[in-house]
Amino acid sequence: MIKRAGFAVLALALAACSPPQAPAETAEAPAATLPPPVTGCNANTSRDWSAVGSQYYIIEAELVGDACQDAVATIRIKAREGDAVLLEQSYPIAQVPLAFNPNGDRVSLSSDLEAWIQNTAEVQTADWLPAWPSGAQRPPGFQPAAGITRQRYEGVRGAQGPLFCYPDGGESNSCIAMAGDTATLLGSLTPERP
């Protein structure tokens, strides 16, 4: 028995003094993946717009470009129910200095984008727009969009429906008349010069 105990102690001592054996094949740990580097000048934002007459819309905007100075901004008006796109317009930001600083970086342009989708109409109904005098080429301070006739323009003004305006140039604001799920681009409002 003492002999057996001696062999057991000797085996333990040898095991303690031996270098550890290399483990059998082990699975390789997966390499850590890093997110791709941020490139380009991209941003997006949205807000709800509660228009007159209990009409609700979603105003969305996005900015996309390889470089900020070349970015294009897109504005969308969507129906709140069903997400149907009612109107979508895109502009190179360099053409809309009233809203965007083309020398801005991604952070400042994100702020510009949020400000861009705020309604610039002083009164958010179409009757706020200037009247189109009979026989005139257009209303004073307003450039009608293609296909907008005096009759159609005055009909929209008379309906007094919701109006959404946003900067579309260096000193003009594009104005859209809303009627349920119909958006009509009326044209651009430019302040009259004295």
Side-chain angles (χ1 to χ4, degrees):
M1 174 112 172
I2 293 181
K3 200 174 184 182
R4 279 190 198 163
F7 282 125
V9 169
L10 182 63
L12 284 174
L14 286 173
C17 293
S18 325
Q21 294 182 1
E25 281 187 45
T26 58
E28 215 173 283
T33 56
L34 297 174
V38 177
T39 59
C41 195
N42 305 310
N44 59 52
T45 189
S46 68
R47 69 187 269 305
D48 290 341
W49 175 41
S50 175
V52 294
S54 299
Q55 297 180 58
Y56 300 95
Y57 302 97
I58 298 170
I59 311 298
E60 295 180 342
E62 66 184 12
L63 187 69
V64 177
D66 292 333
C68 288
Q69 64 270 18
D70 300 324
V72 172
T74 300
I75 190 165
R76 252 179 242 100
I77 298 177
K78 296 172 78 175
R80 191 165 183 194
E81 300 297 322
D83 282 340
V85 175
L86 308 178
L87 180 117
E88 181 174 293
Q89 297 286 106
S90 296
Y91 306 86
I93 63 165
Q95 293 179 7
V96 191
L98 188 58
F100 300 101
N101 175 1
N103 297 317
D105 61 12
R106 186 183 351 232
V107 174
S108 67
L109 286 172
S110 290
S111 295
D112 292 348
L113 196 65
E114 288 180 28
W116 190 44
I117 62 172
Q118 302 300 314
N119 197 342
T120 61
E122 289 177 28
V123 177
Q124 296 183 13
T125 55
D127 58 320
W128 170 73
L129 292 171
W132 190 332
S134 180
Q137 293 281 32
R138 59 187 181 89
F142 196 86
Q143 181 60 49
I148 299 296
T149 62
R150 180 182 182 275
Q151 181 179 358
R152 186 166 183 200
Y153 178 88
E154 284 300 322
V156 168
R157 282 185 71 246
Q160 299 179 3
L163 180 71
F164 185 84
C165 299
Y166 63 92
D168 68 346
E171 56 184 28
S172 61
N173 289 282
S174 200
C175 293
I176 294 99
M178 306 300 298
D181 283 348
T182 302
T184 303
L185 175 61
L186 295 173
S188 294
L189 180 65
T190 304
E192 284 291 292
R193 296 180 191 266

